[in-house]
């Protein structure tokens, strides 16, 4: 049997990693500024993270959600404290797509409605309702196509207000990313998010903030939407939550009532997932990683702006999109092959993404800046 061929792969086989460094089987060292799609939040193989998971594995690794698991409550309390959402409830699952799927279900359960507003260039996952709410027809199978999703232009207040007039009474939810990742690191304006919040309250719909990529400190605040000082009804998390261990969740507003059987999961919130997630929060708190994300993000953006060939630098904290005047694929390949630096792409072919661990140092940032500047300068002078 062979693997189902759905990923274009670099000819690199990583065998070891620590911090922002990755080594391949040939012994070559790479600087990881992508973290496997923003998953590595506290650095590869962080000692506290390894110790937490190893200790838990010796005790018990898994049981289903049919028994008492105090670690789940410990995680919920820690997350509530650090994020500022102590009065919310928490549902644990396994991935960002599953988190968004459950958030959409909750909104539909609570409102008795089924229409959802999503936005252009959005990405919410590859499962049923989540992929239907994703603005990429190439990954939406016929079975996922539905009239329940209304796509509107991102950051377009007038279009949203018109949609409320037309569909407000049938609207279950509005789903929006704290910062669009796959779409090219596009930031919702403060006014746009405030209008979404007010509009949802007006028509009785739920505002879902997809913080799967932009959450967990990456933007410099715990959640990217907190830069706009709004309070969503539902917040979805995953990726950086487990630093590589598959885990996701939904923060659920206090007005949303639970009932037995409403949601469920076999693996969600298992012992190892909780140990990994607690380790991430503990490291974030003990090493002041939100502050480091703010400082290093500002430093990178400041140095990148004005480089030759750079059209625009977008982002908050350590979620950065560098839009060039041309397609970035050749530059990404040169960064990887010539300088050993991993970066990311986006649906905007000219935009290169930086999603490093929040532990990044100035020396590591400077290594990238020097290589990137050298490549861009050579292209201009060629």
């Amino acid at each position: 049997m062979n693997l189902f061929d759905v990923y274009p792969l670099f000819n690199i086989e990583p065998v070891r990693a620590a911090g922002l460094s990755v080594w391949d089987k040939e012994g070559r060292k790479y600087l990881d500024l992508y973290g496997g799609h923003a998953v590595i939040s506290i650095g590869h193989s962080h000692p506290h993270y390894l110790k937490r998971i190893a200790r838990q594995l010796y005790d018990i690794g898994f049981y289903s959600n049919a028994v008492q698991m105090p670690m789940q409550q410990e995680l919920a309390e820690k997350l509530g404290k650090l994020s500022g959402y102590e009065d919310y409830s928490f549902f644990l699952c396994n991935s960002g797509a599953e988190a968004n799927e459950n958030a959409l279900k909750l909104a539909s359960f609570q409102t008795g409605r089924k229409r959802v507003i999503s936005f252009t260039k959005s990405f919410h996952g590859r499962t049923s309702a989540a992929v239907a709410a994703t603005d990429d027809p190439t990954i939406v199978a016929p079975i996922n196509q539905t009239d329940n999703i209304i796509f509107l232009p991102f950051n377009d207040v007038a279009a949203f207000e018109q949609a409320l007039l037309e569909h407000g009474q049938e609207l279950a939810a509005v789903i929006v990313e704290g910062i669009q990742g796959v779409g090219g690191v596009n930031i919702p304006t403060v006014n746009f998010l405030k209008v979404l919040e007010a509009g949802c309250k007006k028509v009785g719909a739920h505002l879902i903030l997809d913080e799967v990529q932009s959450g967990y400190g990456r933007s410099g605040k715990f959640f990217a939407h907190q830069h706009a000082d709004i309070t969503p009804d539902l917040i979805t998390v995953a990726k950086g939550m487990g630093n590589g261990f598959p885990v996701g969740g939904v923060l659920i507003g206090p007005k949303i009532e639970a009932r037995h059987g409403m949601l469920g999961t076999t693996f969600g919130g298992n012992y190892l997932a909780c140990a990994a997630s607690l380790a991430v929060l503990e490291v974030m708190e003990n090493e002041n990683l939100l502050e480091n994300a703010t400082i290093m993000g500002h430093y990178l953006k400041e140095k990148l702006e004005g480089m030759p060939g750079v059209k625009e630098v977008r982002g908050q904290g350590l979620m950065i999109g560098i839009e060039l005047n041309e397609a970035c694929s050749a530059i990404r390949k040169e960064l990887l092959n010539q300088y050993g630096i991993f970066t990311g792409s986006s649906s905007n072919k000219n935009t290169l993404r930086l999603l490093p661990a929040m532990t990044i140092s100035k020396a590591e940032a400077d290594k990238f800046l020097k290589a990137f500047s050298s490549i861009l300068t050579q292209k201009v002078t060629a």
Side-chain angles (χ1 to χ4, degrees), residues 104-124:
L104 290 164
K105 284 177 65 177
L106 278 170
S108 185
F109 272 134
Q110 293 294 310
T111 62
R113 305 169 181 175
K114 59 184 180 181
R115 301 300 294 273
V116 173
I117 288 177
S118 186
F119 298 95
T120 53
K121 299 186 179 179
S122 61
F123 185 93
H124 298 294

Side-chain angles (χ1 to χ4, degrees), residues 37 86 181:
H37 309 307
E86 291 182 271

Side-chain angles (χ1 to χ4, degrees), residues 181-371:
V182 174
V185 189
N186 304 309
I187 304 175
T189 66
V190 170
N191 182 56
F192 181 63
L193 289 179
K194 286 186 177 295
V195 169
L196 296 188
E197 180 185 42
C200 284
K201 288 179 179 177
K202 181 179 179 181
V203 301
H206 289 307
L207 178 59
I208 302 171
L209 253 295
D210 178 345
E211 295 276 7
V212 168
Q213 186 173 131
S214 55
Y216 259 73
R218 178 158 296 282
S219 73
K221 290 187 179 291
F222 200 93
F223 292 122
H225 71 262
Q226 290 171 321
H227 289 278
D229 193 28
I230 64 164
T231 305
D233 301 289
L234 297 147
I235 305 163
T236 57
V237 293
K239 292 195 184 296
M241 178 180 178
N243 199 52
F245 194 96
V247 61
V250 187
L251 284 74
I252 303 164
K255 294 181 180 180
I256 299 176
E257 296 182 4
R259 62 172 170 79
H260 289 179
M262 175 183 274
L263 304 178
T265 171
T266 296
F267 297 105
N270 64 73
Y271 291 98
L272 290 176
C274 287
S277 300
L278 280 164
V280 168
L281 292 175
E282 288 158 357
V283 171
M284 286 175 63
E285 184 176 30
N286 294 337
E287 298 186 10
N288 300 313
L289 294 189
L290 271 70
E291 180 182 4
N292 193 60
T294 300
I295 292 170
M296 293 308 302
H298 177 75
Y299 178 73
L300 281 163
K301 285 182 67 179
E302 184 179 51
K303 296 295 184 181
L304 287 164
E305 289 169 349
M307 282 190 180
V310 173
K311 179 180 179 181
E312 184 181 18
V313 182
R314 298 183 295 273
Q316 290 173 328
L318 290 172
M319 188 167 179
I320 299 172
I322 309 166
E323 184 171 351
L324 305 177
N325 292 320
E326 60 182 275
C328 68
S329 58
I331 291 175
R332 286 185 61 235
K333 288 178 182 177
E334 189 169 352
L335 280 167
L336 184 60
N337 298 328
Q338 187 69 27
Y339 295 94
I341 300 175
F342 279 101
T343 58
S345 62
S346 73
S347 63
N348 178 337
K349 302 304 181 185
N350 289 16
T351 297
L352 176 151
R353 280 191 291 165
L354 300 182
L355 299 163
M358 292 183 289
T359 53
I360 187 173
S361 67
K362 184 175 180 293
E364 289 165 329
D366 284 340
K367 180 178 179 181
F368 163 73
L369 290 167
K370 182 179 179 180

Side-chain angles (χ1 to χ4, degrees), residues 158-185:
F160 175 71
E161 291 179 337
Q162 181 60 38
L164 280 189
L165 290 175
E166 296 176 11
H167 305 286
Q169 298 310 307
E170 55 188 4
L171 198 63
V174 174
I175 185 167
V176 64
E177 291 158 90
I179 301 173
Q180 288 189 335
V182 174
V185 189

